[in-house]
Amino acid sequence: DAGVIQSPRHEVTEMGQEVTLRCKPISGHNSLFWYRQTMMRGLELLIYFNNNVPIDDSGMPEDRFSAKMPNASFSTLKIQPSEPRDSAVYFCASSFGTSGNNEQFFGPGTRLTVL
Amino acid sequence: SQKIEQNSEALNIQEGKTATLTCNYTNYSPAYLQWYRQDPGRGPVFLLLIRENEKEKRKERLKVTFDTTLKQSLFHITASQPADSATYLCALDDTNAGKSTFGDGTTLTVKP
C-alpha cells in the first residue's frame, strides 16, 4: 500500500482565495483525521470521520473551514476564504477503528502558505 | 482545563546513553496513550501504544511506562543513536472519546 496520500504537497495562495486539500486514506481504514500543525499550537485535530461520517468537528476553527468525505477513499478540507493565519502544515491520517487505541498512519502533509 | 505537557526543553544526549522523555497530563482520563516520532518535513510515525491497565511496554530499544496515579508517561530509548534524533510526541485519548490529543513534542538530539 502507498500509505496515506495527500495533495498538493505545497500550496501558496493569496488571502481571500479558496484552498482545497485532498487526502486518500489507506485502503480498508474506516477512520480519517485532519490535523493542523504550527509552531505555536502544535498538532491540532480539526475533524475526524468514521465510516465516511463526520463524528467530531469541534476542532474546526471557524466556518471558513469545511471537510467532506464523499466515499471511503477520498476526503477534502476546504478553506474559503483563506487568511494568512491559516498558514500551517495540514496532515491527514487514517486508522482502522478510532484513534485512541489504534495506530494512526499520517500522510506527508500539505504545507500551506497564505500571503 | 485539560493540558498535556512534554519536556519543556529540547533534550541533548550523547550516543549510547539512555534518553528519557516525559509526558504529563492534567484533567484527562486516558484509556490509551501513544508515542509517535516525527522527523522534519514528515508526518508523525507511530511507535508504541500502552493501555491504562499496563504499567510498562517494550519494543526493541524503546520502553514506555504509564502511571495513571501520577498522570505521567515516560518514554525511554536505550543505547541511543544519532538516528534516534527526532521530535517525539505523546498522544492520549480521553475516556474512549474516539480521538487523540497530542502533546507539543520533545526534540531529541543524539550526538555522536
Side-chain angles (χ1 to χ4, degrees):
Chain A
D1 200 320
V4 175
I5 298 172
Q6 290 187 248
S7 64
R9 292 294 309 278
H10 302 272
E11 177 82 25
V12 179
T13 190
E14 293 190 343
M15 183 174 63
Q17 296 298 305
E18 177 180 298
V19 174
T20 299
L21 311 182
R22 297 172 176 79
C23 175
K24 176 178 168 55
I26 292 173
S27 176
H29 284 186
N30 60 352
S31 291
L32 183 140
F33 309 84
W34 282 101
Y35 290 90
R36 176 174 68 177
Q37 188 172 42
T38 62
M39 288 293 292
M40 289 298 294
R41 300 177 65 91
L43 190 65
E44 304 173 280
L45 178 67
L46 300 177
I47 185 171
Y48 85 91
F49 295 83
N50 185 252
N51 293 323
N52 311 339
V53 175
I55 302 300
D56 187 333
D57 65 354
S58 59
M60 295 287 260
E62 46 198 277
D63 292 345
R64 297 185 297 107
F65 286 68
S66 62
K68 293 182 180 179
M69 192 164 186
N71 57 61
S73 58
F74 184 66
S75 177
T76 60
L77 178 68
K78 185 178 293 186
I79 309 172
Q80 166 64 16
S82 57
E83 296 182 3
R85 61 190 167 126
D86 302 330
S87 298
V89 180
Y90 291 80
F91 288 104
C92 175
S94 70
S95 70
F96 184 71
T98 57
S99 66
N101 63 338
N102 291 286
E103 174 181 356
Q104 289 182 77
F105 293 80
F106 282 78
T110 295
R111 182 173 294 276
L112 174 65
T113 302
V114 183
L115 304 174
Chain B
S1 62
Q2 293 182 316
K3 193 186 301 185
I4 302 173
E5 292 180 307
Q6 298 191 237
N7 298 55
S8 57
E9 300 290 330
L11 189 60
N12 298 305
I13 65 169
Q14 206 66 36
E15 182 176 7
K17 301 293 186 183
T18 295
T20 298
L21 286 65
T22 62
C23 176
N24 297 297
Y25 57 92
T26 307
N27 292 327
Y28 282 98
S29 299
Y32 310 94
L33 191 146
Q34 301 180 17
W35 284 88
Y36 286 77
R37 169 184 173 142
Q38 186 174 23
D39 291 285
R42 294 177 174 267
V45 175
F46 172 83
L47 296 174
L48 282 167
L49 178 150
I50 187 166
R51 294 173 172 77
E52 61 177 338
N53 61 350
E54 297 177 314
K55 297 293 185 187
E56 181 180 299
K57 201 151 195 183
R58 294 174 183 261
K59 179 182 176 183
E60 297 172 351
R61 295 184 296 112
L62 310 180
K63 184 179 85 170
V64 172
T65 63
F66 193 8
D67 189 325
T68 55
T69 301
L70 292 179
K71 298 186 182 299
Q72 180 183 75
S73 175
L74 298 179
F75 177 79
H76 306 273
I77 306 175
T78 59
S80 60
Q81 305 166 0
D84 295 326
S85 299
T87 296
Y88 292 86
L89 303 156
C90 68
L92 51 86
D93 76 324
D94 188 14
T95 322
N96 278 320
K99 61 181 182 180
S100 295
T101 302
F102 282 80
D104 289 340
T106 298
T107 299
L108 171 68
T109 301
V110 181
K111 298 179 179 179

